[in-house]
Amino acid sequence: VPLSAYITNVRLDHAISQLVSGETSIEEIAADNGFTSARAFASVFKKYYHMLPSEYRKQLKYVTAGGGKVTP
């Protein structure tokens, strides 16, 4: 695994943790995890998880309300 891919995976893992908490904005999550912008974060997130961070967060809310499971 190239170093850049490893770093991206670590950043996304931390970002997922923040998305789960639900209290931090997407912009803050992007900045906290070393992305140059919310747009750059969303682009990388979508490449890896096939959905936007906001969509992932919406699915989490649905799941925690008893509606199913998140499928990244």
Side-chain angles (χ1 to χ4, degrees), residues 42-53 55 59 71-72:
S43 176
V44 171
F45 192 95
K46 188 167 186 173
K47 179 181 174 185
Y48 280 75
Y49 296 106
H50 308 289
M51 67 180 78
L52 295 171
E55 294 169 332
Q59 281 196 15
T71 54

Side-chain angles (χ1 to χ4, degrees), residues 1-46:
V1 174
L3 181 60
S4 61
Y6 174 77
I7 291 170
T8 298
N9 283 326
V10 170
R11 288 178 175 169
L12 288 173
D13 285 346
H14 287 269
I16 290 281
S17 296
Q18 288 181 288
L19 283 169
V20 169
S21 77
E23 297 178 16
T24 310
S25 71
I26 302 295
E27 291 79 11
E28 283 183 85
I29 292 171
D32 288 350
N33 291 287
F35 293 94
T36 56
S37 67
R39 175 177 257 167
F41 169 56
S43 176
V44 171
F45 192 95
K46 188 167 186 173

